[in-house]
PDB file of all heavy atoms in Angstrom:
ATOM      1  N   GLN A  67       2.135   0.626 -14.753  1.00  0.00           N
ATOM      2  CA  GLN A  67       2.209   0.641 -13.305  1.00  0.00           C
ATOM      3  C   GLN A  67       2.280  -0.871 -12.756  1.00  0.00           C
ATOM      4  O   GLN A  67       2.040  -1.840 -13.507  1.00  0.00           O
ATOM      5  CB  GLN A  67       0.996   1.334 -12.671  1.00  0.00           C
ATOM      6  CG  GLN A  67       0.911   2.795 -13.140  1.00  0.00           C
ATOM      7  CD  GLN A  67       2.107   3.513 -12.913  1.00  0.00           C
ATOM      8  OE1 GLN A  67       2.713   3.428 -11.972  1.00  0.00           O
ATOM      9  NE2 GLN A  67       2.595   4.265 -13.976  1.00  0.00           N
ATOM     10  N   THR A  68       2.705  -1.075 -11.533  1.00  0.00           N
ATOM     11  CA  THR A  68       2.743  -2.448 -10.919  1.00  0.00           C
ATOM     12  C   THR A  68       2.056  -2.391  -9.653  1.00  0.00           C
ATOM     13  O   THR A  68       1.915  -1.405  -8.983  1.00  0.00           O
ATOM     14  CB  THR A  68       4.364  -2.687 -10.684  1.00  0.00           C
ATOM     15  OG1 THR A  68       4.820  -1.632  -9.924  1.00  0.00           O
ATOM     16  CG2 THR A  68       4.999  -2.963 -12.041  1.00  0.00           C
ATOM     17  N   SER A  97      -3.444  -0.621  -7.664  1.00  0.00           N
ATOM     18  CA  SER A  97      -4.387  -1.658  -7.677  1.00  0.00           C
ATOM     19  C   SER A  97      -5.285  -1.441  -6.510  1.00  0.00           C
ATOM     20  O   SER A  97      -6.429  -2.044  -6.618  1.00  0.00           O
ATOM     21  CB  SER A  97      -3.816  -2.914  -7.734  1.00  0.00           C
ATOM     22  OG  SER A  97      -3.063  -3.279  -6.467  1.00  0.00           O
ATOM     23  N   GLU A 118      -4.612   8.749  -6.042  1.00  0.00           N
ATOM     24  CA  GLU A 118      -4.036   8.162  -7.328  1.00  0.00           C
ATOM     25  C   GLU A 118      -3.983   9.158  -8.449  1.00  0.00           C
ATOM     26  O   GLU A 118      -5.234   9.852  -8.589  1.00  0.00           O
ATOM     27  CB  GLU A 118      -4.702   6.809  -7.517  1.00  0.00           C
ATOM     28  CG  GLU A 118      -4.522   6.252  -8.984  1.00  0.00           C
ATOM     29  CD  GLU A 118      -3.012   5.887  -9.202  1.00  0.00           C
ATOM     30  OE1 GLU A 118      -2.382   5.204  -8.497  1.00  0.00           O
ATOM     31  OE2 GLU A 118      -2.506   6.369 -10.273  1.00  0.00           O
ATOM     32  N   ASP A 145      -3.040  14.703  -7.387  1.00  0.00           N
ATOM     33  CA  ASP A 145      -1.644  14.618  -7.436  1.00  0.00           C
ATOM     34  C   ASP A 145      -0.987  14.483  -5.946  1.00  0.00           C
ATOM     35  O   ASP A 145      -1.124  15.444  -5.127  1.00  0.00           O
ATOM     36  CB  ASP A 145      -1.076  15.821  -8.119  1.00  0.00           C
ATOM     37  CG  ASP A 145       0.469  15.813  -8.137  1.00  0.00           C
ATOM     38  OD1 ASP A 145       0.998  14.872  -7.654  1.00  0.00           O
ATOM     39  OD2 ASP A 145       0.891  17.046  -8.470  1.00  0.00           O
ATOM     40  N   GLY A 146      -0.455  13.280  -5.713  1.00  0.00           N
ATOM     41  CA  GLY A 146      -0.019  13.000  -4.382  1.00  0.00           C
ATOM     42  C   GLY A 146       1.148  13.883  -3.882  1.00  0.00           C
ATOM     43  O   GLY A 146       1.462  13.956  -2.792  1.00  0.00           O
ATOM     44  N   THR A 162       3.843   5.046  -2.331  1.00  0.00           N
ATOM     45  CA  THR A 162       4.244   3.716  -2.996  1.00  0.00           C
ATOM     46  C   THR A 162       4.727   4.044  -4.490  1.00  0.00           C
ATOM     47  O   THR A 162       4.560   3.173  -5.360  1.00  0.00           O
ATOM     48  CB  THR A 162       3.000   2.730  -2.999  1.00  0.00           C
ATOM     49  OG1 THR A 162       1.935   3.162  -3.783  1.00  0.00           O
ATOM     50  CG2 THR A 162       2.370   2.492  -1.558  1.00  0.00           C
ATOM     51  N   LEU A 218       4.926  10.671 -10.336  1.00  0.00           N
ATOM     52  CA  LEU A 218       4.831  11.597 -11.465  1.00  0.00           C
ATOM     53  C   LEU A 218       4.058  12.819 -11.098  1.00  0.00           C
ATOM     54  O   LEU A 218       3.180  12.853 -10.213  1.00  0.00           O
ATOM     55  CB  LEU A 218       4.286  10.838 -12.687  1.00  0.00           C
ATOM     56  CG  LEU A 218       5.137   9.671 -13.299  1.00  0.00           C
ATOM     57  CD1 LEU A 218       4.312   8.896 -14.265  1.00  0.00           C
ATOM     58  CD2 LEU A 218       6.445  10.020 -13.726  1.00  0.00           C
TER      59      LEU A 218
HETATM   60  N1  SAH B 301       0.315   0.520  -3.842  1.00  0.00           N
HETATM   61  C1  SAH B 301       0.030   0.160  -5.158  1.00  0.00           C
HETATM   62  C2  SAH B 301       1.383   0.367  -5.906  1.00  0.00           C
HETATM   63  C3  SAH B 301       0.933   1.038  -7.246  1.00  0.00           C
HETATM   64  S1  SAH B 301       2.382   1.498  -8.218  1.00  0.00           S
HETATM   65  C4  SAH B 301      -0.401  -1.428  -5.213  1.00  0.00           C
HETATM   66  O1  SAH B 301      -0.085  -2.097  -4.342  1.00  0.00           O
HETATM   67  O2  SAH B 301      -0.997  -1.659  -6.266  1.00  0.00           O
HETATM   68  C5  SAH B 301       2.365   3.253  -7.829  1.00  0.00           C
HETATM   69  C6  SAH B 301       1.245   4.116  -8.259  1.00  0.00           C
HETATM   70  O3  SAH B 301       1.418   5.548  -8.045  1.00  0.00           O
HETATM   71  C7  SAH B 301       0.774   4.042  -9.704  1.00  0.00           C
HETATM   72  O4  SAH B 301      -0.622   3.654  -9.678  1.00  0.00           O
HETATM   73  C8  SAH B 301       0.899   5.396 -10.195  1.00  0.00           C
HETATM   74  O5  SAH B 301      -0.191   5.899 -11.146  1.00  0.00           O
HETATM   75  C9  SAH B 301       0.656   6.268  -8.894  1.00  0.00           C
HETATM   76  N2  SAH B 301       1.335   7.544  -8.924  1.00  0.00           N
HETATM   77  C10 SAH B 301       2.310   8.002  -9.612  1.00  0.00           C
HETATM   78  N3  SAH B 301       2.644   9.311  -9.362  1.00  0.00           N
HETATM   79  C11 SAH B 301       1.568   9.755  -8.571  1.00  0.00           C
HETATM   80  C12 SAH B 301       1.145  11.094  -8.045  1.00  0.00           C
HETATM   81  N4  SAH B 301       1.867  12.171  -8.279  1.00  0.00           N
HETATM   82  N5  SAH B 301       0.065  11.090  -7.357  1.00  0.00           N
HETATM   83  C13 SAH B 301      -0.676  10.015  -7.041  1.00  0.00           C
HETATM   84  N6  SAH B 301      -0.391   8.722  -7.463  1.00  0.00           N
HETATM   85  C14 SAH B 301       0.657   8.695  -8.362  1.00  0.00           C
END
Side-chain angles (χ1 to χ4, degrees):
Q67 302 307 317
T68 53
S97 67
E118 166 61 53
D145 177 5
T162 70
L218 300 172

